[in-house]
Amino acid sequence: MLNSPICKMLGIQYPVFQGGMAWIADAKLAAAVSNAGGLGIISAMNADADYLRGQIKKARELTDKPIGVNVMLMSPHAQEAAQVICEEKVEVVTTGAGLPTKFMPAWIKAGVKVIPVVPSTGIAKMVERAGATAVIAEGGESGGHVGDLTTMTLVPQVCDAVKIPVLAAGGIGDGRGMAAAFMLGAIGVQCGTCFLLAKECDVHENYKKRVIAAKDIDTIVTGKRLGHPVRVLKNSFAREFFRMEYDSSISNEEIEKFGTGALRMAAKEGDEQKGSFMAGQISGMLKEEKTASQIILDMVSQAEQLLKGASAWVK
Ligand code: TUI
């Protein structure tokens, strides 16, 4: 059976984290993933303390397994989310879109394991020094906020740079990706896009339909000019955003305004024109809805087969 040190460290069965996708990763999805043996993660997104506390309490009713919370560090409510995480004694906090170091002493003091998402070796070393339990090295194949490096190049370099365990994210959607991540030195994976298609994921059905319909080349990175590049599915919103970025007569403020609320419009209203459908480059591989449990079991069993068979290459 596929097992790794992160399973024992966190008290989970399979080394699979579900990404804390804003407007999508709620208590229901996180509890389903944790019940399936992975680590379910609630997104604190841009919401206030009451929302997050409510989601944590709801998840606790749905599962007795460990859960995580993702703090999006660009959120104006990051500070209050950080405090709720301490008060509710969440087992794991993951962070994204910024440096979590100022929050880490309080989390560590409260017994919360801190596992930041990192886009580079420098940031990985910084959070290791600050007491991180592990890091998630996320390549630019992922959906949402992306760094510059690919998973293939980032993961082994982060593994060389730090002593703490490394999980891989970005472009991992089946057992092939998971086995490859282990070969690169990772001891687990985090997947976002494939959990969009979990039956327990209540994202709008148009979002799921778009991911299923997407081909390999159907994502694009927008937001580079604003300093927060975001990978999304191509649609009229994404094309217009991209065009505005290349028009020097349009100010950054106007572009920001154009993007405001677009993720919510995709995730909650399924607005195919004005919505921002964040999704990774593996969208083209995903063809059907499955339960969270089936997603994890299919991925893990395929990875096991591949890793067992890998010695066939060595004569
Ligand atoms: O955070 C993510 N993915 C996200 S956050 C998000 S919400 C959003 N909505 C609109 C615009 C921007 C964000 C959607 N998807 N993934 C983890 C991740 N973290 N990827 C890259 C990073 C990262 C980048 C820079 C982590 C640290 C970092 O530090 C350097 C710095 O300059 O802050």
Side-chain angles (χ1 to χ4, degrees):
M1 199 183 76
L2 192 84
N3 201 271
S4 88
I6 201 74
C7 295
K8 196 155 176 219
M9 285 168 90
L10 305 184
I12 59 179
Q13 198 177 352
Y14 302 113
V16 180
F17 290 15
Q18 159 250 314
M21 298 166 283
W23 289 104
I24 296 166
D26 61 5
K28 181 179 168 190
L29 178 61
V33 171
S34 288
N35 282 330
L39 183 72
I41 298 179
I42 296 167
S43 171
M45 52 182 203
N46 277 326
D48 62 13
D50 288 347
Y51 167 84
L52 180 58
R53 202 184 300 280
Q55 288 293 307
I56 295 168
K57 288 190 188 303
K58 189 171 170 198
R60 294 290 190 211
E61 284 166 17
L62 297 171
T63 183
D64 56 4
K65 302 279 196 305
I67 55 164
V69 168
N70 175 263
V71 178
M72 207 276 280
L73 292 160
M74 282 164 51
S75 163
H77 299 287
Q79 174 75 55
E80 46 185 305
Q83 201 176 324
V84 171
I85 286 162
C86 294
E87 288 164 7
E88 297 296 328
K89 305 223 171 299
V90 171
E91 286 80 7
V92 176
V93 60
T94 64
T95 61
L99 296 176
T101 36
K102 73 170 176 175
F103 300 121
M104 287 178 64
W107 285 332
I108 293 166
K109 192 163 167 233
V112 181
K113 295 187 171 70
V114 185
I115 309 188
V117 175
V118 298
S120 66
T121 56
I123 294 174
K125 285 195 229 179
M126 199 182 294
V127 298
E128 179 183 49
R129 273 198 301 276
T133 294
V135 289
I136 302 166
E138 186 184 87
E141 296 93 322
S142 73
H145 193 84
V146 287
D148 283 332
L149 297 182
T150 60
T151 302
M152 181 78 119
T153 55
L154 178 65
V155 173
Q157 294 189 72
V158 171
C159 289
D160 288 345
V162 297
K163 293 195 175 66
I164 53 178
V166 177
L167 291 98
I172 300 169
D174 65 11
R176 294 173 296 181
M178 186 177 195
F182 275 77
M183 291 291 99
L184 295 176
I187 51 89
V189 297
Q190 173 167 283
C191 305
T193 307
C194 64
F195 284 112
L196 283 169
L197 297 186
K199 289 196 171 147
E200 300 89 343
C201 176
D202 282 340
V203 71
H204 196 282
E205 61 168 307
N206 290 352
Y207 208 126
K208 295 193 183 203
K209 262 184 7 205
R210 282 206 159 247
V211 171
I212 289 171
K215 296 190 304 295
D216 52 354
I217 55 167
D218 284 347
T219 70
I220 185 173
V221 176
T222 59
K224 281 190 182 158
R225 176 174 145 187
L226 305 175
H228 45 81
V230 172
R231 183 177 297 285
V232 297
L233 292 177
K234 289 176 185 167
N235 68 349
S236 46
F237 165 80
R239 288 195 184 90
E240 180 60 9
F241 200 106
F242 198 75
R243 191 196 64 73
M244 288 170 83
E245 287 187 82
Y246 281 89
D247 184 339
S248 59
S249 73
I250 301 177
S251 70
N252 283 4
E253 290 68 30
E254 283 171 277
I255 301 175
E256 292 274 11
K257 195 165 163 231
F258 180 71
T260 304
L263 176 58
R264 186 194 55 75
M265 270 190 271
K268 296 290 172 196
E269 290 160 33
D271 190 322
E272 305 209 37
Q273 272 74 48
K274 296 195 210 113
S276 168
F277 292 79
M278 296 187 186
Q281 289 182 316
I282 55 144
S283 295
M285 250 162 59
L286 301 172
K287 293 289 158 238
E288 56 182 352
E289 270 193 288
K290 295 184 202 175
T291 63
S293 177
Q294 211 56 59
I295 292 169
I296 294 175
L297 292 177
D298 286 354
M299 183 181 294
V300 170
S301 59
Q302 188 185 21
E304 278 174 8
Q305 290 304 318
L306 290 169
L307 290 168
K308 274 187 205 155
S311 59
W313 295 104
V314 187
K315 295 290 180 236

